[in-house]
Amino acid sequence: MEERRILRLAIKKSHWLAIVATLCILLLIHKSYRWIYIVYKTFPRDAKAGYRFAKLNWRMSRWIKAKATVPSIFRQLVEKHPAKVIFFFEEESWTFQKLDEFSNQVAHHFKAKGFQKGDSVALMMENRPEYVGFWLGLSKIGVTAALINTNLVSDSLIHSLKISNTKALIYGKDFEKAVAGIQLDLPKFQFAPSASEGLAEEISREPSGEVSEQEQILPTDKIMYIFTSGTTGLPKAAMITHIRYIYAAVGINSLTNLSPSDILYNPLPFYHTAGGMLAVGQGLIFGLSLALRKKFSASNYWADCRKYNCTVAVYIGEICRYLLVAHQPGSQVDHPVKKMVGNGLRPQIWTEFIETFHIENVFEFYGSTEGNSNLINIDNTPGSVGFVPIYASRVYPVILIRCDENTGSPLRQANGCCIRCKTNEAGLLIGKVLKNRVHREFAGYADEKATETKLLRNVFKMGDLYFNSGDILIQDEFGNYYFKDRTGDTFRWKGENVATSEVEAVISNVAGLKDTVVYGVQIPGTEGRAGMAVIEDPDGSLDVTKLAQGLKSRLPRYAIPIFLRIMDSLSITGTFKLKKVDLQNEAVDFGTNQDRRLYFYSSESSDYRPLTSEIYQEIVDGKVKV
């Protein structure tokens, strides 16, 4: 009996061994073993992300059900801890109650001036607590705040005010000159200097209690316009609703696991999504305290973090590079920052940055103000801008498709459908648009035509709709995404998008309608691409000094081309279009052709100076600032 039992057990054991052996052979044949390995390697990351994403959805469903708005959520925080500081600014401390009362006074003031739900008021100010108080107060009576990029001047500033249909502009003292330059072009416009004694006194006399109109505000109402430069040229006004603002703040808070006890350092401009929504939203929606700075300073970054005991800090890629450049090797690094949240940290300096400044967690995210293709890196994978698990593409439909390398236009099959990229293949990032789902919606721009340019139809089947990010990314086998480039004629410099068509038009006008080509070129060791302009000047009549003066008065500083090439002639295509691709490939080329005269824009003198290979190397080494 015992022998039979042992025999049966041996048969069963050999049976299972045979099954396991067969499975192993099948896995090896079909290479599925790699898939199992990938799941094994990414499970800790994906499990953590799954929990945090569930928390995000739970929070959003709760607030959607309650029909919450930014003012209504903020009001709950005021009632919970009125004396807690929400903003540290220079030597000031603004409590939740103080911000609430100031915003109520703003609401009463503009209500008395006749502003009502549906109107828009532009805001052009430096970072300070009053900035948030102004747009928060306006939102309480249903007025949309247009957050103007403070670098804008002349035509681009006028365009931003008109496209957002604003009736008034609140501006800071630092921007009086820019505003003075456009007042004659907007005779019926109301200009309100925020620093003037008159406006401050009028607001201070208003009651600090709530306005009745606040109860009529809906989650789907617009709270602000944030401007973004795209391939069409002039700034586009992205529409931000209350629920969109809330979702942006909830997404960052949930996926980075922030706590109300954290103190966040924010030197980024408030007109920018990262500074004005993702960072400020942590105070307004979750009750964190924020330390503010009027303008970013590399030499004061860590000192500010120490001063205010900040545990979290925000950045854009250039900031990380500036901090490394400003750091003295061997000097002591002393700050309480544990987490950094931002976008644009270059893979080439990632490890050096976190090791130099002892940062435990870097949450690099990818996204656009208006887009629905948002990603975030939660496991410190160097260079990654985020991930989607290989088995979760249906749950979060962010996809890479093949596109033309030069134009960025999607490539389609004979049946009209787009082509999905393979693993590690660069492609155009798109996100499926689904209505009534806050994380998949695309609200678009104030300009309907601009909205349509960002949509792709009939991508994988008839009737489907996707948001076109305009960016080229790569996804590896573990689901990690890596940013590669921007499509079309837009490049990024100093944390801002630069539309080449706009710059080309301005240069051509200043230079007497000469043929001009503008594109971005890489400077080794720097984030983004520096602008380079090529101008046709066969008779040598171009005055580069006058050109610099003209560009300075007509373009934001970040849009002025850093490099200038003067050529006897520019090549054109059979359809009379200037050829740009060859020039882009040459970049800053110190060739021997006599028709090439090279200059660089000096930030110290605000003028174009001759560029030599020696000076260019100094620019690369950081000895000459651009």
Side-chain angles (χ1 to χ4, degrees):
M1 292 293 293
E2 182 66 21
E3 290 178 355
R4 289 181 180 179
R5 188 178 68 82
I6 294 172
L7 181 60
R8 283 198 300 269
L9 290 173
I11 292 172
K12 286 182 178 180
K13 186 175 181 181
S14 63
H15 175 71
W16 282 110
L17 287 173
I19 292 175
V20 171
T22 302
L23 287 174
C24 289
I25 292 171
L26 289 173
L27 289 174
L28 288 171
I29 292 173
H30 294 285
K31 297 184 178 180
S32 298
Y33 66 92
R34 188 63 184 176
W35 189 87
I36 293 175
Y37 171 75
I38 291 170
V39 172
Y40 167 75
K41 289 289 290 185
T42 60
F43 180 76
R45 177 200 69 185
D46 297 346
K48 182 193 299 182
Y51 168 75
R52 293 180 181 179
F53 193 69
K55 182 168 67 172
L56 184 162
N57 286 328
W58 175 79
R59 285 169 161 175
M60 287 306 303
S61 62
R62 183 165 57 100
W63 274 324
I64 290 173
K65 185 177 181 180
K67 296 182 179 179
T69 62
V70 173
S72 69
I73 295 175
F74 177 67
R75 183 59 199 167
Q76 294 175 13
L77 294 172
V78 175
E79 294 173 352
K80 182 179 180 180
H81 40 58
K84 181 179 179 179
V85 174
I86 184 172
F87 294 138
F88 294 102
F89 177 69
E90 297 178 349
E91 302 307 317
E92 300 180 45
S93 295
W94 280 56
T95 64
F96 279 79
Q97 182 170 334
K98 181 176 180 179
L99 180 61
D100 185 49
E101 291 176 349
F102 177 79
S103 63
N104 287 337
Q105 289 177 315
V106 170
H108 283 291
H109 176 77
F110 282 88
K111 176 184 175 181
K113 293 290 186 181
F115 290 87
Q116 57 188 352
K117 186 175 181 179
D119 290 338
S120 297
V121 172
L123 194 57
M124 190 176 185
M125 292 174 57
E126 66 281 2
N127 285 6
R128 58 185 312 111
E130 289 89 345
Y131 188 112
V132 179
F134 273 116
W135 71 249
L136 181 61
L138 291 169
S139 75
K140 292 182 177 182
I141 58 173
V143 174
T144 305
L147 310 186
I148 304 297
N149 186 324
T150 54
N151 290 290
L152 299 183
V153 294
S154 189
D155 293 343
S156 56
L157 176 54
I158 294 173
H159 169 82
S160 296
L161 297 175
K162 287 183 176 179
I163 197 67
S164 54
N165 198 30
T166 53
K167 293 185 176 181
L169 170 64
I170 304 170
Y171 62 95
K173 186 177 179 62
D174 293 346
F175 312 107
E176 290 178 348
K177 186 176 180 180
V179 173
I182 66 168
Q183 285 183 320
L184 293 178
D185 296 291
L186 301 169
K188 297 182 180 180
F189 208 78
Q190 296 185 45
F191 294 93
S194 64
S196 69
E197 295 182 3
L199 179 61
E201 185 177 346
E202 289 179 15
I203 291 176
S204 67
R205 290 199 299 262
E206 299 287 358
S208 59
E210 294 184 22
V211 290
S212 58
E213 285 79 2
Q214 185 172 327
E215 302 302 322
Q216 303 169 15
I217 309 304
L218 301 174
T220 52
D221 288 339
K222 294 192 295 288
I223 188 172
M224 62 179 60
Y225 290 110
I226 292 183
F227 293 85
T228 174
S229 294
T231 55
T232 56
L234 292 168
K236 293 179 290 190
M239 297 186 292
I240 308 298
T241 62
H242 283 262
I243 199 66
R244 171 78 177 184
Y245 189 100
I246 294 169
Y247 176 71
V250 173
I252 288 295
N253 187 278
S254 301
L255 294 170
T256 62
N257 202 30
L258 298 182
S259 165
S261 61
D262 281 318
I263 299 176
L264 188 149
Y265 181 56
N266 181 20
L268 304 184
F270 285 178
Y271 63 77
H272 197 281
T273 304
M277 283 180 62
L278 304 182
V280 171
Q282 301 312 310
L284 299 178
I285 306 300
F286 289 101
L288 275 71
S289 298
L290 281 80
L292 312 178
R293 188 172 184 86
K294 186 179 294 185
K295 190 176 181 180
F296 165 73
S297 167
S299 60
N300 288 292
Y301 194 94
W302 300 119
D304 285 346
C305 291
R306 284 194 300 272
K307 177 180 179 180
Y308 300 110
N309 198 32
C310 297
T311 53
V312 185
V314 292
Y315 69 90
I316 57 173
E318 283 292 347
I319 283 181
C320 296
R321 185 173 67 84
Y322 293 154
L323 293 176
L324 278 175
V325 172
H327 177 67
Q328 297 294 328
S331 61
Q332 184 178 4
V333 176
D334 179 22
H335 62 77
V337 175
K338 303 298 181 184
K339 298 177 180 179
M340 292 194 71
V341 184
N343 66 344
L345 176 56
R346 292 173 63 86
Q348 293 85 351
I349 65 170
W350 185 296
T351 302
E352 181 185 2
F353 182 82
I354 61 175
E355 291 180 352
T356 298
F357 298 113
H358 311 309
I359 306 299
E360 295 180 5
N361 291 286
V362 172
F363 295 95
E364 171 82 7
F365 65 81
Y366 167 85
S368 59
T369 302
E370 73 280 25
N372 68 350
S373 309
N374 303 305
L375 303 164
I376 189 167
N377 178 346
I378 67 170
D379 64 346
N380 290 309
T381 300
S384 172
V385 299
F387 70 99
V388 174
I390 57 176
Y391 45 78
S393 59
R394 291 184 179 273
V395 178
Y396 197 71
V398 174
I399 302 164
L400 293 179
I401 60 174
R402 293 180 179 175
C403 64
D404 183 278
E405 293 183 0
N406 293 323
T407 65
S409 300
L411 299 178
R412 294 180 182 264
Q413 304 177 71
N415 62 5
C417 293
C418 294
I419 309 166
R420 291 175 183 261
C421 289
K422 297 179 180 179
T423 300
N424 294 320
E425 180 183 9
L428 178 66
L429 186 73
I430 61 174
K432 192 170 186 178
V433 177
L434 298 173
K435 292 184 178 180
N436 301 320
R437 295 191 186 180
V438 64
H439 66 291
R440 302 272 15 114
E441 282 187 323
F442 170 55
Y445 309 103
D447 183 350
E448 292 184 5
K449 291 182 179 179
T451 298
E452 189 60 30
T453 63
K454 297 296 288 185
L455 295 173
L456 294 176
R457 303 180 187 278
N458 307 321
V459 176
F460 298 114
K461 63 181 181 179
M462 291 299 295
D464 64 7
L465 187 65
Y466 282 77
F467 169 78
N468 180 355
S469 72
D471 291 330
I472 305 296
L473 280 77
I474 295 174
Q475 186 181 30
D476 66 16
E477 62 179 345
F478 299 104
N480 295 310
Y481 281 90
Y482 300 87
F483 180 84
K484 183 180 180 183
D485 210 346
R486 294 184 180 273
T487 62
D489 291 333
T490 298
F491 61 90
R492 197 166 181 82
W493 179 246
K494 300 293 186 183
E496 300 286 349
N497 289 339
V498 181
T500 59
S501 58
E502 179 189 357
V503 180
E504 286 168 353
V506 172
I507 293 176
S508 182
N509 287 335
V510 174
L513 303 180
K514 294 180 182 293
D515 284 344
T516 303
V517 170
V518 173
Y519 48 90
V521 297
Q522 288 186 320
I523 301 175
T526 62
E527 171 67 18
R529 294 176 182 269
M532 183 163 191
V534 181
I535 303 176
E536 186 179 78
D537 182 36
D539 57 4
S541 61
L542 181 66
D543 186 331
V544 294
T545 300
K546 290 183 178 179
L547 176 66
Q549 294 172 349
L551 297 185
K552 184 180 179 182
S553 65
R554 291 171 174 81
L555 289 174
R557 186 184 181 101
Y558 63 80
I560 298 175
I562 299 300
F563 299 112
L564 179 64
R565 172 182 288 175
I566 313 299
M567 299 182 69
D568 291 340
S569 64
L570 296 178
S571 299
I572 60 173
T573 66
T575 54
F576 302 99
K577 293 180 180 178
L578 292 168
K579 291 185 177 180
K580 182 180 291 189
V581 176
D582 291 341
L583 293 171
Q584 286 177 306
N585 292 334
E586 291 176 4
V588 184
D589 182 10
F590 294 92
T592 58
N593 292 351
Q594 295 302 312
D595 65 342
R596 295 174 180 174
R597 287 162 279 162
L598 294 172
Y599 299 85
F600 77 101
Y601 187 81
S602 170
S603 60
E604 296 180 355
S605 62
S606 298
D607 195 5
Y608 281 110
R609 295 180 177 180
L611 178 66
T612 63
S613 57
E614 291 78 13
I615 294 177
Y616 179 74
Q617 188 58 50
E618 289 182 350
I619 293 174
V620 172
D621 295 338
K623 297 177 181 179
V624 174
K625 294 184 178 180
V626 292

